[in-house]
């Protein structure tokens, strides 16, 4: 067997996202970025609503943050993350002067006399102000509930067919189709 040379044992570059200090510096920035993104429909859209100079300043600050992350410099990352958070605030204030933020995306529905608010995404659920007693659900939650019901129906029919060997479901009340 050949001995490995140092060149063959080259190490992979370190991952800055494995450094808890860097992650700790980035978490407040990520939270601020998520908040601005939800409010304005994305950071790119937010930047398009402000002056080119302000947008360019934020872009330069973000590039410096990314450089600090790549350099795995926790102190510089924290400093640059703070600059970017202030930049997001500046973008938000400038955009709010001339534009309306996006309302959380939702639809109001009524089913069997009960009102519901359905949010398009789970992120919108917390931001929606519904009348008292009106539940707010996301489409994802409705799909999960649907699957639970369908799984339960399949299990119930399987149990019936096991209990009554040879039994078959030939019809459902109201002429409904089998849901599977």
């Amino acid at each position: 067997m050949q001995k490995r040379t140092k060149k063959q044992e080259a190490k992979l570059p370190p991952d800055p996202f494995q450094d808890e200090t860097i992650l700790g510096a980035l978490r407040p920035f990520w939270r601020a970025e998520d908040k601005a993104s939800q409010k304005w429909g994305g950071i790119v859209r937010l930047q398009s609503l402000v002056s080119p100079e302000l947008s360019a300043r934020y872009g330069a600050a973000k590039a410096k943050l990314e450089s600090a992350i790549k350099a795995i410099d926790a102190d510089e990352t924290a400093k640059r993350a703070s600059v970017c958070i202030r930049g997001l605030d500046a973008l938000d204030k400038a955009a709010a002067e001339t534009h309306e933020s996006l309302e959380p995306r939702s639809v109001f529905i009524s089913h069997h006399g009960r009102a519901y608010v359905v949010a398009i995404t789970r992120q919108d659920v917390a931001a929606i102000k519904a009348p008292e007693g009106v539940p707010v659900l996301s489409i994802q939650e409705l799909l999960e509930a649907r699957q639970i019901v369908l799984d339960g129906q399949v299990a119930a029919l399987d149990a019936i067919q096991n209990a009554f060997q040879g039994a078959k479901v030939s019809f459902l009340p109201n002429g409904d189709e089998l849901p599977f």
Side-chain angles (χ1 to χ4, degrees):
M1 283 182 66
Q2 284 185 335
K3 284 187 177 180
R4 288 186 169 198
T5 65
K6 286 187 180 184
K7 210 174 201 180
Q8 290 172 326
E9 293 178 6
K11 293 181 180 177
L12 294 174
D15 181 0
F17 296 103
Q18 297 298 317
D19 185 321
E20 193 57 41
T21 309
I22 288 181
L23 290 174
L26 289 172
R27 285 183 184 113
F29 165 69
W30 289 335
R31 186 180 64 246
E33 192 176 49
D34 286 347
K35 182 180 175 185
S37 185
Q38 287 176 11
K39 181 176 180 180
W40 294 101
I43 300 303
V44 172
R45 180 176 182 271
L46 174 57
Q47 285 182 271
S48 75
L49 299 175
V50 302
S51 70
E53 294 80 17
L54 182 56
S55 181
R57 282 185 16 222
Y58 177 76
K62 182 92 184 278
K64 289 177 184 175
L65 172 61
E66 290 171 3
S67 293
I69 294 167
K70 284 181 187 173
I72 311 177
D73 184 339
D75 292 334
E76 189 66 14
T77 298
K79 186 169 124 185
R80 295 300 167 188
S82 293
V83 170
C84 285
I85 290 169
R86 289 192 303 274
L88 287 168
D89 288 340
L91 291 172
D92 178 61
K93 287 176 186 164
E97 289 176 4
T98 55
H99 297 84
E100 297 271 335
S101 64
L102 294 178
E103 290 297 318
R105 297 165 294 170
S106 64
V107 292
F108 293 86
I109 61 170
S110 178
H111 183 68
H112 293 290
R114 182 162 166 92
Y116 297 89
V117 177
V118 179
I120 304 303
T121 68
R122 281 190 184 192
Q123 290 83 6
D124 289 335
V125 170
I128 294 172
K129 292 168 182 52
E132 191 171 327
V134 175
V136 179
L137 306 164
S138 70
I139 289 177
Q140 181 65 34
E141 290 167 325
L142 291 175
L143 291 173
E144 289 170 3
R146 175 187 176 272
Q147 191 59 50
I148 290 168
V149 169
L150 290 177
D151 290 346
Q153 287 177 344
V154 170
L157 286 174
D158 286 345
I160 291 168
Q161 289 177 339
N162 287 336
F164 302 99
Q165 295 296 320
K168 293 184 180 177
V169 176
S170 59
F171 75 95
L172 292 174
N174 303 323
D176 292 341
E177 294 286 324
L178 288 174
F180 45 88

